[in-house]
Structure formats: C-alpha cells, structure tokens
C-alpha cells in the first residue's frame, strides 16, 4: 500500500473516493468556473489558486466583472474548452501542471467525464468531486469542508458551516409542527429563456422546497433530477405558488434576469414580461399575486441558505415575519466573501 508523504492531505470526496494531495492545493483546475465564489468563502484571493477553468463563470457578465475588478488576474486563467458532462481536455490540463482538479458531481456522472477522470488519475493528477447542485442539503457543507481541507482552510470552512447551520436550525425549528399544510409549488427554472417549463424533480431545488414545507407539484411528472412540464399540464395543475428562477445568462434570450449587478427595476421589468406570457398569465397564482422570482445560481453555492430563508418566509409568512434573507446575504458579504453579492436576488412578499 502506498504511503502518503509527510504533510499530505487525504480527503474523502462525495463519491467516497480517497483523494490524496502532497500538500494543500495551490494550482487548481475547476470543472465549474462559476464555483469561484465558493472558494471565495474560504480564501481571500481564491483566483490566485486557479490555473484553469471552464468558461461558464463568464456567462454572468456582471458577476464576473465584479470579480475581475477585484482580482484582475482572473482574466489570465486558462479557459478549458467544452461543457460540463462532455469530458475534459486532458492534454490542456496536463500542460497547466495542476495539483488538483475539482469537478462537480453532475459533471463526474457523465461517461465522457469519467473517462477524463481515469486518464487524469493515471497521470497522478488528483481529482476531487464535490456537489453543490444535485443534492445541496446533503452535500453542500461536506463539499465546502472538502475544499477547505484541500486548500488548508479548514477553519474558514468550519466558520461558514457554523454560520449556515445556525440559520438552518432556526428555519427547521419554526417549521417543525406536523400541522403545517405544505402549499403546492411550481418552480419554473431558467424562466423565459427556453420553452416552458423546465422544473426540478428529485434533488436540486426540490430539496429546499420540501425543507421549507412546500409541495413540489412537478414531482407528479418528473422522476429524475429535473425535467419539463408542458404549459398545458401546468395550467391543469394550477399550483398555489409559482416561483420562477432566472439570471444574467437569460438576458440575451429575453428571459428572467436576477442576480449580481441587476437592479430591482430591471428584475421587475423582466418578471412582468414573463408573467404576461400567454398561459402563465392564466395561472391562479399569477392572477392572485402568488408569483415570485429567485436567482437561479443559488443552486451552486452554500449561500443558498438565504434562499431557504426566502422560501420558508414565502410559504409560511406567519412564521417568519422577523426573518430578513437579505440580512443573511449581508452577513455573508461582511464575514466571508472578498467580492460581495450585490444585486437583486429575489422578488417576493
């Protein structure tokens, strides 16, 4: 059996694989560039640790611009070709001489990416699989701890875990009663940017809806992580609560725009346009003012604790009148992030 060198770091990733680093990582390739802010929860200059990434972070121009203003060297990070689940350019990665490759669970589940992982491991380049997307309530905090361990920032990871858990327990304790009726919720993801209506199935945002004591009506039709509901079916289901998600990535398609750098006026205008769409405008939730909007990219960061608070307040306002999710974002900005989350992250009550 191989013996790890002194100072080595051994991590069990979300797949249960043992990943060994000779020392804390300082040359990281990220399969999901948009997870840089997650590293930012742990390190004052996370971009200094990254030597290569996929180009997805640049799709959010406002957020990328804010990070580039703070850390101009991110423009020099090598952009890998291809999309998640389509494999990795191993030859390019080897040339970058990384000491760690970080992949998302969703990405690593694809056959093409598995083949890339096998090649990297044969070349003795460690690959750490994390998950902030597929099963966020189960895997986000363990994944943050893994990253903290990988870069020698365990104390920062534990500080965020304590922050997160204190707020999560507050939500859970107020929703503990078995007498609460879970309202029917339809979450329309990437709203307005593609044909209606993609929605989460088992996992992803569904876990947060369930935690907030809502009932995801799409589960009657979707068996996997996510799927599509026809507009006709949505009209038949006629959910009590309609929640759309959007982001800067939908701006060019005329969809719902929320998130970093987006003003409330811009968010309101794109949401009003979405709700006026034939079919959606027929929903009882839209007619009666029970339609809301969320930043889609909460699905890739443990900052989603603010989203959980928002959902709980939305679905059971009588229990959360004193809770302000924006205060949670403000605290994350103040205590953890080197580049603050600044923009419009929801449209709610």
């Amino acid at each position: 059996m191989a013996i790890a060198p002194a100072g080595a770091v051994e991590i069990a990733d979300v797949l249960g694989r043992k990943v060994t680093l000779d020392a804390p990582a300082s040359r990281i390739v990220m399969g999901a560039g948009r997870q840089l802010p997650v590293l930012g929860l742990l390190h004052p200059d996370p971009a200094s640790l990254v030597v290569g990434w996929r180009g997805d972070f640049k799709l959010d121009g406002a957020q990328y611009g804010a990070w580039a203003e703070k850390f101009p060297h991110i423009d020099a990070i090598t952009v890998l070709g291809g999309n998640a689940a389509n494999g990795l350019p191993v030859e390019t990665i080897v040339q970058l001489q990384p000491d760690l490759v970080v992949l998302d669970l969703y990405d690593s589940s694809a056959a093409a990416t598995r083949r890339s992982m096998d090649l990297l491991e044969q070349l003795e380049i460690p690959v750490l699989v994390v998950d902030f997307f597929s099963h966020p309530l189960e895997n986000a905090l363990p994944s943050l701890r893994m990253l903290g361990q990988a870069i020698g920032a365990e104390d920062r990871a534990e500080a965020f875990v304590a922050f997160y858990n204190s707020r999560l327990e507050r939500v859970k304790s107020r929703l503990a009663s078995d007498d609460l009726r879970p309202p029917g919720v339809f979450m329309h993801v990437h709203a307005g940017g593609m044909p209606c209506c993609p929605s989460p199935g088992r996992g992803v945002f569904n876990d947060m809806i369930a935690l907030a004591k809502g009932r995801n009506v799409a589960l009657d039709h979707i068996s996997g992580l996510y799927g599509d509901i026809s507009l006709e079916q949505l009209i038949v289901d006629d959910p009590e609560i309609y929640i759309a998600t959007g982001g800067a990535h939908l701006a060019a398609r005329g969809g719902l725009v929320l998130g970093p750098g987006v003003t409330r006026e811009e968010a309101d205008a794109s949401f009003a346009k979405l709700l006026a769409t034939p079919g959606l405008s027929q929903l009882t939730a839209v007619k009666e003012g029970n339609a809301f909007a969320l930043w889609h990219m909460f699905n890739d960061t443990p900052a989603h604790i603010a989203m959980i608070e928002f959902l709980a307040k939305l679905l059971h306002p009588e229990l959360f009148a004193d809770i302000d999710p924006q205060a949670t974002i403000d605290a994350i900005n103040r205590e953890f992030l080197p580049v603050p989350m600044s923009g419009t992250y929801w449209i709610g009550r």
Side-chain angles (χ1 to χ4, degrees), residues 197-216:
C197 300
S199 189
R202 287 161 174 80
V204 202
F205 289 142
N206 172 67
D207 296 355
M208 300 178 191
I209 294 171
L211 187 148
K213 285 289 179 77
R215 180 176 59 84
N216 180 7

Side-chain angles (χ1 to χ4, degrees), residues 26 52 151 153 166 175 185 201 215 226 229 235 247 252 272 277 299 324 333 340:
S26 60
I151 65 172
S166 67
L175 294 172
V185 177
R215 180 176 59 84
Y226 52 84
I229 302 294
I235 292 171
T277 304
N299 69 353
D324 179 7
N333 289 339

Side-chain angles (χ1 to χ4, degrees), residues 37 40-41 43-44 46 57 60 62-71 259-262 295 301 303 326 328-345:
L41 295 171
H43 193 281
F57 192 38
D60 187 337
Q63 184 172 212
Y64 181 86
W67 281 78
E69 184 176 355
K70 174 80 172 182
F71 304 113
V262 177
W295 182 47
T301 170
Q326 182 59 48
T328 294
I329 287 186
D330 293 343
I332 292 172
N333 289 339
R334 185 171 59 249
E335 298 176 27
F336 296 99
L337 281 174
V339 177
M341 297 172 66
S342 177
T344 304
Y345 292 90

Side-chain angles (χ1 to χ4, degrees), residues 3 28 38 40 67 105 178 203 217 237 254:
I3 299 176
I28 299 173
V38 178
W67 281 78
L105 176 64
D178 292 333
V217 300
D237 289 345

Side-chain angles (χ1 to χ4, degrees), residues 186 196-197 229-239 280 283:
F186 181 75
C196 187
C197 300
I229 302 294
S230 70
L231 187 56
E232 292 77 11
Q233 183 63 58
L234 178 58
I235 292 171
V236 170
D237 289 345
D238 201 23
L280 293 182
L283 298 176

Side-chain angles (χ1 to χ4, degrees), residues 24 37 67 76 78 89 108 114 186 224 233 237 260 269 271 312 314 317-319:
W67 281 78
T78 298
S108 74
R114 278 302 181 104
F186 181 75
Q233 183 63 58
D237 289 345
F271 192 42
L314 194 70
E318 71 282 4
L319 298 177

Side-chain angles (χ1 to χ4, degrees), residues 45-99:
D45 182 1
S48 68
L49 304 175
V50 181
V51 296
W53 57 8
R54 286 199 177 99
D56 51 308
F57 192 38
K58 295 187 176 183
L59 296 177
D60 187 337
Q63 184 172 212
Y64 181 86
W67 281 78
E69 184 176 355
K70 174 80 172 182
F71 304 113
H73 45 287
I74 72 171
D75 287 332
I77 295 174
T78 298
V79 177
L80 310 177
N83 300 314
N86 287 336
L88 293 160
V90 173
E91 186 173 340
T92 301
I93 291 174
V94 170
Q95 291 173 351
L96 294 171
Q97 299 182 313
D99 48 20

